[in-house]
Amino acid sequence: MTVDVEVMKPPRTEVGALGWLRKNLFGTWYDALLTVGSVAFICVVLYGVFNWALNTAKWGVVTTNIKVFMVGRYPYSEVWRIWTSVGLFLVMALVSLVVWKRNVTKARRGVTIAWVIVLLLTIVLLKGFGDLPLIPSVPINIWSGLMLTLALGIVGIVASFPMGVLLALGRRSSLPVIKVFCTTYIEGIRGVPLISVLFMSMLMIPLFLPPSIRLDNVLRAMVAMTLFSAAYVAENVRGGLQAIPEGQYEAGRAVGLNEGLVMVLIVLPQALRAMIPAIVGQFISLYKDTSLVVIVGLLDILGVAKAVTGQREWIGTQKEVFAFAGVIFFVTCSALSYASRRLEKQLGVGER
Amino acid sequence: MENERSEASETREMIICRDVHKWFGDFHVLRGVNLTLTKGEVVVICGPSGSGKSTLIRTINRLEEHQKGDIIVDGIELTHDIRNVHAIRKEIGMVFQHFNLFPHLTALQNVTLAPVYVRRWSKDKAEEVARQLLQRVGIPEQADKFPGQLSGGQQQRVAIARALAMQPKIMFFDEPTSALDPEMIKEVLDVMIELAKGGMTMIVVTHEMGFAREVSNRIIFFDEGDIVEEAPPDRFFTECKEPRTMLFLSQILTT
């Protein structure tokens, strides 16, 4: 026997787009007022922006100087090396995306090793060697533009991550010497602004090194950014480590793992996963802070932007130039946070 | 003749604790514990909370350090030498009250981790053994799930499989059913009973007196850092003499 139940549909005004509008935007008379007011405001702003961007703005300043923005003073005859590097990176990114999305566990180690090789290869390719006929040396000193920004950012991120993990482990070490050293380092760095670390690296590093070794300015900036960022990464990682219950260490020891393996196989994977948002946040802020190198005389993309607006024929084009630089930063930072969200999702399976 | 006998008995004695003392700061947790387990023996330790019974078994595999006395596991003396500590931990499988599974690994990976990295088995061999063990504890179909997706009883059974994967000669259970919902206790106890009947040497810290009655060789009542009384299960419940034991039994048996 079946029972006929009359299915009553909800009133039309309560569901669907109309219902949503009614509920969220026109619920009360002041909601309606706010809605109308905001829409009007948004329209005015958007009209202004588009009107400027499409009619008034002289985008010629960007298109004419695009090479300067991208690679700065890098010799144009050698720009193919940059394209090759970018191509390598894109191919690697694509391969990683496929491998991780398809969950090809076996290929992961290969891809990771390939990344390291590609990174080293890129450095060699971009820098070149004095005697090689195909890739003559390009002094790192003249790296500038977006290329410098990316180089500082990538080197800073790649180098400060392992250093930060080691510092965090050191700060939790039971050996007093290591603990005191790491704690002093972290607190010392966190106690000074990045600019002063940059100045110090420009002025002090040459004093410590023998006169025969001369580090390029760009290299010194890379060292400074890495040392600075590592302290912050270390604190983030330490936060993650503290969240791991003692029972995890005990379970690891009880099955016979030594302390190092307990750390690498059990504690760090969990701690780092929990800290991905914070660590990526630190990386994004490191990437944006690379623009501070202008102060020590390097031309990152913002430095180039400033120089371009100083050219006589492009006077009065600050808006266009800085809007362009802003868009570039926005796109690259968004890419970083997108990557972090993917990583979180990838590793978040089976979280308790 | 005398020497021969003592040597033979050395190999049969899996665990020897002689006058073991431990302090947490000023607090004297273990006060001269003497305990000997022979091969295949199943011992249940019960006692009020805070009496030091968990600390005792955690001391034997060096999750805690004792400050005085000797501990010898299967002929290996527990010293500060890290090699001895690791050798002893390989002999002893441990199951915790709160399971302590590795949440970032699947059930199968939880079981294979130690065999691969400590025993240096190939991944294929470790997985084969792990699947057999998961079969043995009754959850072969859960192999690829993460601990967070399993019930408490299933998690504890994975934890037992993980401990067994190292092929230990001795198993420690530290209140294995205390954190479980009542309907899941039996599935874990069944696995433990099967293990005990299979001849495993076991120390079980628990208040599950049904389990103690069914499979244990000895029940130890532990209080204030020492063994108060011990007896085989058939005599323990009827013939205990100490008022503390009687009080404790009356408390746990009525509830």
Side-chain angles (χ1 to χ4, degrees):
Chain A
M1 198 180 102
T2 55
V3 183
D4 280 334
V5 180
E6 198 186 332
V7 182
M8 207 165 103
K9 284 196 173 155
R12 261 185 75 79
T13 49
E14 294 297 316
V15 289
L18 214 63
W20 184 88
L21 270 178
R22 199 183 147 82
K23 194 175 163 203
N24 292 299
L25 298 182
F26 298 97
T28 57
W29 65 268
Y30 47 85
D31 274 357
L33 206 66
L34 269 176
T35 306
V36 173
S38 332
V39 168
F41 179 72
I42 292 169
C43 286
V44 167
V45 170
L46 282 185
Y47 174 77
V49 169
F50 276 102
N51 191 26
W52 171 77
L54 299 175
N55 298 327
T56 327
K58 294 185 212 144
W59 291 114
V61 65
V62 172
T63 46
T64 317
N65 293 306
I66 192 80
K67 268 187 177 162
V68 186
F69 277 115
M70 293 298 132
V71 300
R73 291 192 284 144
Y74 205 82
Y76 291 160
S77 59
E78 305 298 328
V79 167
W80 65 270
R81 282 148 66 167
I82 299 176
W83 282 118
T84 316
S85 315
V86 171
L88 274 175
F89 267 80
L90 285 182
V91 168
M92 282 307 297
L94 209 68
V95 169
S96 324
L97 207 69
V98 169
V99 164
W100 257 262
K101 201 159 192 175
R102 294 275 162 82
N103 242 332
V104 194
T105 325
K106 278 177 189 159
R108 286 189 185 175
R109 180 173 294 181
V111 172
T112 314
I113 295 171
W115 264 115
V116 175
I117 294 172
V118 163
L119 214 61
L120 294 177
L121 204 70
T122 312
I123 293 173
V124 172
L125 190 65
L126 291 180
K127 192 175 175 303
F129 278 102
D131 305 333
L132 292 180
L134 202 56
I135 44 170
S137 175
V138 176
I140 293 188
N141 264 341
I142 66 166
W143 287 17
S144 40
L146 178 62
M147 181 187 170
L148 176 67
T149 302
L150 286 177
L152 284 172
I154 292 173
V155 169
I157 288 168
V158 171
S160 69
F161 179 67
M163 191 176 164
V165 171
L166 287 179
L167 279 170
L169 294 178
R171 190 166 184 177
R172 284 166 60 88
S173 162
S174 52
L175 302 172
V177 180
I178 296 176
K179 191 187 165 98
V180 166
F181 172 79
C182 291
T183 311
T184 317
Y185 177 85
I186 291 169
E187 295 306 331
I189 290 282
R190 295 203 314 155
V192 289
L194 175 57
I195 295 184
S196 59
V197 178
L198 279 171
F199 273 128
M200 294 267 270
S201 75
M202 293 298 150
L203 301 172
M204 309 274 280
I205 290 180
L207 293 183
F208 294 133
L209 290 175
S212 54
I213 303 175
R214 283 206 56 240
L215 277 183
D216 295 302
N217 280 352
V218 172
L219 269 182
R220 280 185 229 162
M222 283 174 178
V223 171
M225 309 267 343
T226 304
L227 294 181
F228 186 79
S229 176
Y232 286 86
V233 172
E235 284 301 271
N236 285 335
V237 173
R238 192 167 69 97
L241 289 174
Q242 273 169 345
I244 305 301
E246 187 61 26
Q248 293 289 312
Y249 292 86
E250 288 180 355
R253 283 175 206 143
V255 289
L257 298 172
N258 62 40
E259 297 297 314
L261 283 178
V262 168
M263 209 27 105
V264 172
L265 296 174
I266 297 167
V267 178
L268 274 180
Q270 296 182 53
L272 294 181
R273 185 178 67 193
M275 282 294 123
I276 289 173
I279 293 173
V280 173
Q282 170 55 33
F283 285 162
I284 289 177
S285 108
L286 160 78
Y287 174 69
K288 291 189 291 188
D289 285 347
T290 54
S291 49
L292 285 174
V293 295
V294 172
I295 290 184
V296 290
L298 298 176
L299 291 180
D300 78 319
I301 187 155
L302 280 185
V304 169
K306 209 148 185 265
V308 164
T309 56
Q311 293 170 357
R312 201 183 311 144
E313 65 267 44
W314 297 114
I315 277 175
T317 54
Q318 277 105 328
K319 274 191 223 153
E320 289 83 348
V321 167
F322 284 106
F324 175 68
V327 166
I328 286 198
F329 268 110
F330 180 76
V331 168
T332 38
C333 289
S334 305
L336 261 180
S337 38
Y338 172 75
S340 115
R341 261 177 287 133
R342 290 227 34 142
L343 197 65
E344 256 175 87
K345 233 173 141 186
Q346 190 79 43
L347 299 173
V349 211
E351 234 166 339
R352 54 174 169 186
Chain B
M1 189 71 194
E2 195 64 34
N3 275 339
E4 249 183 296
R5 259 191 63 191
S6 74
E7 256 193 333
S9 67
E10 273 290 313
T11 54
R12 272 189 48 237
E13 284 162 349
M14 296 301 285
I15 295 177
I16 305 169
C17 295
R18 265 191 236 113
D19 193 31
V20 172
H21 288 263
K22 167 158 188 67
W23 286 264
F24 282 129
D26 283 339
F27 180 56
H28 201 171
V29 207
L30 298 179
R31 310 184 178 192
V33 180
N34 288 295
L35 175 68
T36 305
L37 251 79
T38 53
K39 197 165 170 34
E41 209 177 359
V42 177
V43 171
V44 165
I45 304 181
C46 60
S49 64
S51 59
K53 52 196 192 307
S54 289
T55 308
L56 174 66
I57 61 172
R58 289 161 57 84
T59 304
I60 298 175
N61 71 349
R62 220 0 114 83
L63 292 181
E64 307 283 356
E65 204 172 307
H66 65 290
Q67 280 107 12
K68 193 166 164 252
D70 304 316
I71 295 175
I72 298 160
V73 178
D74 197 23
I76 309 164
E77 191 171 358
L78 183 61
T79 60
H80 283 286
D81 191 333
I82 194 74
R83 280 167 301 183
N84 284 15
V85 173
H86 280 143
I88 286 177
R89 284 179 182 163
K90 277 190 211 171
E91 305 265 314
I92 301 175
M94 177 120 178
V95 175
F96 298 87
Q97 179 178 1
H98 296 289
F99 332 134
N100 295 357
L101 290 179
F102 308 132
H104 60 302
L105 302 176
T106 62
L108 190 73
Q109 289 167 333
N110 264 280
V111 181
T112 57
L113 186 77
V116 167
Y117 285 95
V118 181
R119 290 241 186 261
R120 303 250 160 232
W121 290 359
S122 73
K123 216 178 158 200
D124 290 339
K125 184 186 175 192
E127 278 191 9
E128 195 191 318
V129 172
R131 286 193 193 277
Q132 283 167 8
L133 285 170
L134 289 176
Q135 179 89 47
R136 189 166 159 197
V137 298
I139 42 171
E141 72 287 355
Q142 311 288 359
D144 296 317
K145 289 202 182 155
F146 287 92
Q149 299 163 309
L150 301 176
S151 73
Q154 291 169 333
Q155 289 192 47
Q156 193 60 297
R157 286 187 282 162
V158 173
I160 294 174
R162 174 177 73 180
L164 289 175
M166 287 295 288
Q167 304 184 323
K169 294 181 184 156
I170 306 162
M171 285 286 284
F172 286 177
F173 292 83
D174 187 0
E175 309 207 26
T177 55
S178 306
L180 294 177
D181 291 334
E183 76 270 21
M184 293 168 183
I185 290 178
K186 188 173 173 297
E187 64 191 46
V188 171
L189 286 181
D190 285 345
V191 172
M192 292 165 60
I193 289 168
E194 188 247 16
L195 259 182
K197 288 184 172 161
M200 178 67 79
T201 313
M202 287 163 63
I203 300 184
V204 184
V205 173
T206 187
H207 293 165
E208 292 292 336
M209 287 303 141
F211 171 83
R213 217 177 250 133
E214 187 173 345
V215 292
S216 77
N217 303 98
R218 254 193 298 166
I219 303 178
I220 292 175
F221 177 67
F222 206 83
D223 192 20
E224 293 182 350
D226 201 359
I227 294 170
V228 177
E229 215 171 350
E230 56 181 302
D234 49 335
R235 299 215 312 270
F236 185 80
F237 297 100
T238 50
E239 295 172 25
C240 57
K241 303 168 229 43
E242 290 279 333
R244 275 188 292 173
T245 317
M246 287 191 278
L247 177 66
F248 177 76
L249 279 180
S250 72
Q251 279 164 346
I252 63 161
L253 291 179
T254 51
T255 51

